Amino acid sequence: MTSSDSAQTPAKAPAKDPWDLPDVSGYVVGVLGGTGPQGKGLAYRLAKAGQKVIIGSRAAERAEAAAAELGHGVEGADNAECARRSDIVIVAVPWDGHGKTLESLRQELAGKLVVDCVNPLGFDKKGAYALKPEEGSAAEQAAALLPGSRVTAAFHHLSAVLLQDPEIDEIDTDVMVLGEERADVEIVQALAGRIPGMRGIFAGRLRNAHQVESLVANLISVNRRYKAHAGLRITDV
Protein backbone atom coordinates (compact mmCIF):
# COMPACT_ATOMS: atom_id res chain seq x y z
CA MET A 1 0.00 0.00 0.00
CA THR A 2 1.37 3.41 -0.94
CA SER A 3 1.25 6.44 1.32
CA SER A 4 -1.49 7.92 -0.90
CA ASP A 5 -3.59 4.74 -0.50
CA SER A 6 -3.33 4.86 3.28
CA ALA A 7 -4.24 8.54 3.28
CA GLN A 8 -7.49 7.69 1.48
CA THR A 9 -8.45 4.87 3.88
CA PRO A 10 -11.22 6.22 6.11
CA ALA A 11 -10.58 6.12 9.83
CA LYS A 12 -12.59 3.42 11.58
CA ALA A 13 -15.34 4.88 13.76
CA PRO A 14 -14.88 4.14 17.46
CA ALA A 15 -17.09 1.35 18.79
CA LYS A 16 -20.31 2.55 20.36
CA ASP A 17 -20.34 2.48 24.15
CA PRO A 18 -22.88 -0.27 25.03
CA TRP A 19 -23.96 1.77 28.05
CA ASP A 20 -24.75 4.85 25.94
CA LEU A 21 -28.52 4.35 26.05
CA PRO A 22 -31.31 6.63 24.82
CA ASP A 23 -33.53 8.87 26.94
CA VAL A 24 -36.84 7.03 27.22
CA SER A 25 -38.51 9.26 29.81
CA GLY A 26 -40.98 10.67 27.28
CA TYR A 27 -42.40 7.33 26.09
CA VAL A 28 -45.87 6.17 27.09
CA VAL A 29 -45.67 2.57 28.34
CA GLY A 30 -48.66 0.26 28.10
CA VAL A 31 -48.87 -2.96 30.10
CA LEU A 32 -51.17 -5.64 28.71
CA GLY A 33 -52.17 -7.86 31.59
CA GLY A 34 -51.56 -4.93 33.89
CA THR A 35 -54.04 -6.21 36.48
CA GLY A 36 -52.01 -9.41 37.06
CA PRO A 37 -49.17 -9.56 39.63
CA GLN A 38 -46.25 -9.15 37.18
CA GLY A 39 -47.89 -6.50 35.02
CA LYS A 40 -49.15 -4.55 38.00
CA GLY A 41 -45.71 -4.63 39.63
CA LEU A 42 -43.96 -3.40 36.49
CA ALA A 43 -46.56 -0.67 35.99
CA TYR A 44 -46.07 0.49 39.59
CA ARG A 45 -42.26 0.59 39.36
CA LEU A 46 -42.16 2.38 36.01
CA ALA A 47 -44.78 4.94 37.04
CA LYS A 48 -43.00 5.53 40.33
CA ALA A 49 -39.83 6.22 38.30
CA GLY A 50 -41.69 8.93 36.36
CA GLN A 51 -42.81 7.00 33.28
CA LYS A 52 -46.31 7.60 31.87
CA VAL A 53 -48.05 4.21 32.23
CA ILE A 54 -51.37 2.82 31.00
CA ILE A 55 -52.44 -0.62 32.15
CA GLY A 56 -54.68 -2.75 29.98
CA SER A 57 -57.14 -5.50 30.74
CA ARG A 58 -59.91 -7.27 28.85
CA ALA A 59 -62.32 -5.20 30.97
CA ALA A 60 -61.65 -1.45 31.15
CA GLU A 61 -63.29 -1.27 34.60
CA ARG A 62 -60.79 -3.76 36.04
CA ALA A 63 -57.89 -1.80 34.57
CA GLU A 64 -59.23 1.50 35.89
CA ALA A 65 -59.67 0.06 39.39
CA ALA A 66 -56.12 -1.34 39.39
CA ALA A 67 -54.74 1.97 38.08
CA ALA A 68 -56.48 3.92 40.86
CA GLU A 69 -54.95 1.53 43.39
CA LEU A 70 -51.43 2.06 41.98
CA GLY A 71 -51.55 5.87 41.80
CA HIS A 72 -48.52 7.72 40.34
CA GLY A 73 -50.63 8.88 37.39
CA VAL A 74 -51.27 5.35 36.09
CA GLU A 75 -54.32 5.09 33.81
CA GLY A 76 -56.45 2.05 33.02
CA ALA A 77 -58.09 1.07 29.73
CA ASP A 78 -59.16 -2.00 27.81
CA ASN A 79 -56.32 -3.79 26.02
CA ALA A 80 -57.04 -2.28 22.60
CA GLU A 81 -57.04 1.32 23.86
CA CYS A 82 -53.96 0.63 25.99
CA ALA A 83 -52.11 -0.64 22.90
CA ARG A 84 -53.28 2.27 20.72
CA ARG A 85 -52.21 4.98 23.18
CA SER A 86 -48.80 3.53 24.06
CA ASP A 87 -45.39 3.84 22.40
CA ILE A 88 -43.95 0.76 24.15
CA VAL A 89 -46.23 -2.14 25.05
CA ILE A 90 -45.21 -4.72 27.66
CA VAL A 91 -47.00 -8.06 27.28
CA ALA A 92 -47.57 -9.56 30.74
CA VAL A 93 -50.63 -11.71 30.07
CA PRO A 94 -50.94 -15.35 31.23
CA TRP A 95 -49.34 -17.82 28.82
CA ASP A 96 -52.70 -19.52 28.20
CA GLY A 97 -54.09 -16.34 26.66
CA HIS A 98 -50.87 -15.06 25.03
CA GLY A 99 -51.52 -16.05 21.42
CA LYS A 100 -55.20 -15.07 21.30
CA THR A 101 -54.58 -11.72 22.98
CA LEU A 102 -51.81 -10.70 20.59
CA GLU A 103 -53.68 -11.93 17.53
CA SER A 104 -56.69 -9.81 18.49
CA LEU A 105 -54.48 -6.71 18.91
CA ARG A 106 -52.39 -7.06 15.73
CA GLN A 107 -53.77 -3.83 14.26
CA GLU A 108 -53.41 -1.77 17.46
CA LEU A 109 -49.84 -3.03 18.02
CA ALA A 110 -48.66 -2.32 14.44
CA GLY A 111 -45.67 0.02 14.51
CA LYS A 112 -45.26 -0.35 18.29
CA LEU A 113 -42.25 -1.58 20.24
CA VAL A 114 -43.55 -4.72 21.97
CA VAL A 115 -41.74 -6.17 25.02
CA ASP A 116 -42.78 -9.75 25.75
CA CYS A 117 -42.15 -10.92 29.32
CA VAL A 118 -44.31 -14.04 29.29
CA ASN A 119 -42.88 -17.32 30.58
CA PRO A 120 -44.47 -20.48 29.15
CA LEU A 121 -44.52 -22.76 32.19
CA GLY A 122 -46.32 -25.87 33.34
CA PHE A 123 -46.78 -27.05 36.94
CA ASP A 124 -47.14 -30.51 38.42
CA LYS A 125 -46.33 -32.27 41.70
CA LYS A 126 -42.60 -31.82 41.04
CA GLY A 127 -42.95 -28.06 40.61
CA ALA A 128 -42.56 -25.69 37.65
CA TYR A 129 -41.20 -26.79 34.29
CA ALA A 130 -40.64 -25.04 30.96
CA LEU A 131 -42.97 -25.47 27.99
CA LYS A 132 -41.62 -25.23 24.43
CA PRO A 133 -44.00 -23.29 22.17
CA GLU A 134 -44.23 -24.38 18.56
CA GLU A 135 -42.55 -21.12 17.47
CA GLY A 136 -39.67 -21.70 19.92
CA SER A 137 -40.60 -19.23 22.66
CA ALA A 138 -43.31 -16.81 23.73
CA ALA A 139 -41.30 -13.96 22.20
CA GLU A 140 -40.99 -15.77 18.86
CA GLN A 141 -44.71 -16.50 18.94
CA ALA A 142 -45.30 -12.77 19.47
CA ALA A 143 -43.03 -11.92 16.52
CA ALA A 144 -44.88 -14.39 14.30
CA LEU A 145 -48.29 -13.01 15.29
CA LEU A 146 -47.24 -9.34 15.08
CA PRO A 147 -45.39 -8.90 11.77
CA GLY A 148 -45.98 -5.13 11.88
CA SER A 149 -44.51 -4.69 15.37
CA ARG A 150 -40.92 -4.55 16.68
CA VAL A 151 -40.82 -7.41 19.15
CA THR A 152 -38.29 -7.71 21.98
CA ALA A 153 -38.19 -9.88 25.11
CA ALA A 154 -37.35 -8.73 28.66
CA PHE A 155 -38.46 -8.55 32.32
CA HIS A 156 -38.87 -12.34 32.67
CA HIS A 157 -37.09 -12.89 35.99
CA LEU A 158 -38.61 -10.25 38.25
CA SER A 159 -40.37 -11.06 41.49
CA ALA A 160 -43.91 -9.72 41.43
CA VAL A 161 -43.83 -9.62 45.24
CA LEU A 162 -40.80 -7.31 45.28
CA LEU A 163 -42.11 -5.17 42.42
CA GLN A 164 -45.36 -4.46 44.26
CA ASP A 165 -43.83 -3.86 47.71
CA PRO A 166 -43.85 -0.07 48.40
CA GLU A 167 -41.36 -0.58 51.26
CA ILE A 168 -38.66 -1.67 48.77
CA ASP A 169 -36.89 1.25 47.08
CA GLU A 170 -34.53 -0.70 44.80
CA ILE A 171 -34.93 -3.94 42.86
CA ASP A 172 -31.55 -5.67 42.96
CA THR A 173 -31.47 -7.44 39.60
CA ASP A 174 -30.39 -7.37 35.97
CA VAL A 175 -32.88 -7.66 33.11
CA MET A 176 -31.86 -9.72 30.09
CA VAL A 177 -33.12 -8.04 26.91
CA LEU A 178 -33.37 -9.87 23.59
CA GLY A 179 -34.26 -8.54 20.16
CA GLU A 180 -33.35 -8.24 16.51
CA GLU A 181 -32.66 -4.49 16.28
CA ARG A 182 -30.03 -2.84 18.43
CA ALA A 183 -31.95 0.43 18.68
CA ASP A 184 -35.06 -1.37 20.00
CA VAL A 185 -33.05 -3.42 22.50
CA GLU A 186 -31.36 -0.26 23.80
CA ILE A 187 -34.73 1.43 24.36
CA VAL A 188 -35.82 -1.54 26.49
CA GLN A 189 -32.49 -1.59 28.34
CA ALA A 190 -32.93 2.09 29.12
CA LEU A 191 -36.50 1.47 30.28
CA ALA A 192 -35.28 -1.21 32.70
CA GLY A 193 -32.63 1.21 33.93
CA ARG A 194 -35.32 3.71 34.95
CA ILE A 195 -36.17 1.42 37.87
CA PRO A 196 -33.67 1.93 40.73
CA GLY A 197 -31.37 -1.08 41.18
CA MET A 198 -32.07 -2.55 37.74
CA ARG A 199 -29.85 -2.79 34.67
CA GLY A 200 -30.90 -3.87 31.19
CA ILE A 201 -28.36 -6.22 29.57
CA PHE A 202 -28.36 -7.30 25.91
CA ALA A 203 -28.67 -11.11 25.88
CA GLY A 204 -29.00 -12.07 22.21
CA ARG A 205 -31.58 -12.32 19.48
CA LEU A 206 -35.11 -13.64 19.82
CA ARG A 207 -34.02 -17.15 18.85
CA ASN A 208 -32.34 -17.27 22.27
CA ALA A 209 -35.48 -16.31 24.19
CA HIS A 210 -36.57 -19.85 25.09
CA GLN A 211 -33.81 -20.49 27.61
CA VAL A 212 -34.33 -17.05 29.17
CA GLU A 213 -38.06 -17.70 29.58
CA SER A 214 -37.36 -21.25 30.84
CA LEU A 215 -34.97 -20.08 33.55
CA VAL A 216 -37.94 -18.86 35.54
CA ALA A 217 -38.74 -22.50 36.37
CA ASN A 218 -35.32 -22.72 38.04
CA LEU A 219 -35.87 -19.47 39.94
CA ILE A 220 -39.19 -20.77 41.24
CA SER A 221 -37.34 -23.80 42.61
CA VAL A 222 -34.74 -21.52 44.22
CA ASN A 223 -37.45 -19.39 45.78
CA ARG A 224 -39.30 -22.36 47.22
CA ARG A 225 -36.21 -23.94 48.75
CA TYR A 226 -34.74 -20.75 50.22
CA LYS A 227 -37.97 -18.81 50.93
CA ALA A 228 -36.59 -16.04 48.69
CA HIS A 229 -37.50 -13.74 45.81
CA ALA A 230 -34.41 -14.45 43.71
CA GLY A 231 -33.26 -12.35 40.77
CA LEU A 232 -30.24 -12.46 38.45
CA ARG A 233 -27.01 -10.51 38.23
CA ILE A 234 -24.68 -10.77 35.23
CA THR A 235 -21.05 -10.53 36.42
CA ASP A 236 -18.11 -8.72 34.77
CA VAL A 237 -20.35 -6.44 32.72
Side-chain angles (χ1 to χ4, degrees):
M1 182 186 287
T2 66
S3 57
S4 61
D5 289 333
S6 60
Q8 291 170 4
T9 304
K12 195 172 181 182
K16 185 179 184 295
D17 179 356
W19 295 112
D20 180 16
L21 300 173
D23 176 10
V24 296
S25 58
Y27 286 112
V28 177
V29 178
V31 184
L32 302 180
T35 57
Q38 191 82 350
K40 202 171 179 182
L42 274 169
Y44 170 67
R45 289 290 161 180
L46 289 168
K48 192 177 178 186
Q51 209 76 35
K52 174 61 190 170
V53 177
I54 303 169
I55 59 175
S57 178
R58 281 177 297 178
E61 300 79 19
R62 267 188 80 199
E64 287 162 2
E69 195 182 312
L70 291 176
H72 297 284
V74 177
E75 291 184 48
D78 64 46
N79 281 332
E81 186 185 345
C82 171
R84 269 195 302 269
R85 291 179 55 198
S86 303
D87 304 303
I88 302 170
V89 180
I90 297 172
V91 181
V93 299
W95 167 241
D96 289 350
H98 182 263
K100 280 188 178 178
T101 300
L102 295 185
E103 204 168 6
S104 71
L105 296 171
R106 183 176 291 159
Q107 189 174 340
E108 289 84 358
L109 290 170
K112 308 286 183 178
L113 175 53
V114 173
V115 187
D116 202 299
C117 70
V118 175
N119 303 303
L121 296 176
F123 295 87
D124 60 18
K125 289 180 181 178
K126 295 181 180 180
Y129 61 94
L131 302 175
K132 186 73 179 277
E134 189 180 330
E135 298 84 354
S137 63
E140 287 168 295
Q141 183 183 89
L145 292 172
L146 303 172
S149 305
R150 296 136 53 210
V151 176
T152 61
F155 301 117
H156 302 91
H157 306 133
L158 307 181
S159 162
V161 173
L162 298 184
L163 288 174
Q164 294 185 79
D165 188 342
E167 299 298 312
I168 292 173
D169 294 323
E170 294 192 1
I171 305 292
D172 179 24
T173 193
D174 286 331
V175 172
M176 291 205 270
V177 184
L178 302 97
E180 299 303 316
E181 299 295 332
R182 181 165 181 165
D184 294 337
V185 168
E186 289 182 347
I187 288 171
V188 181
Q189 285 180 264
L191 190 65
R194 296 270 288 157
I195 299 172
M198 266 189 212
R199 292 188 308 172
I201 305 274
F202 171 65
R205 293 177 179 267
L206 287 186
R207 69 180 184 180
N208 291 320
H210 172 64
Q211 58 264 36
V212 173
E213 296 168 1
S214 302
L215 190 57
V216 174
N218 301 89
L219 289 177
I220 289 171
S221 298
V222 170
N223 290 338
R224 284 183 174 170
R225 173 64 62 89
Y226 298 101
K227 305 290 188 286
H229 302 293
L232 292 178
R233 278 292 187 202
I234 309 297
T235 62
D236 199 34
V237 177

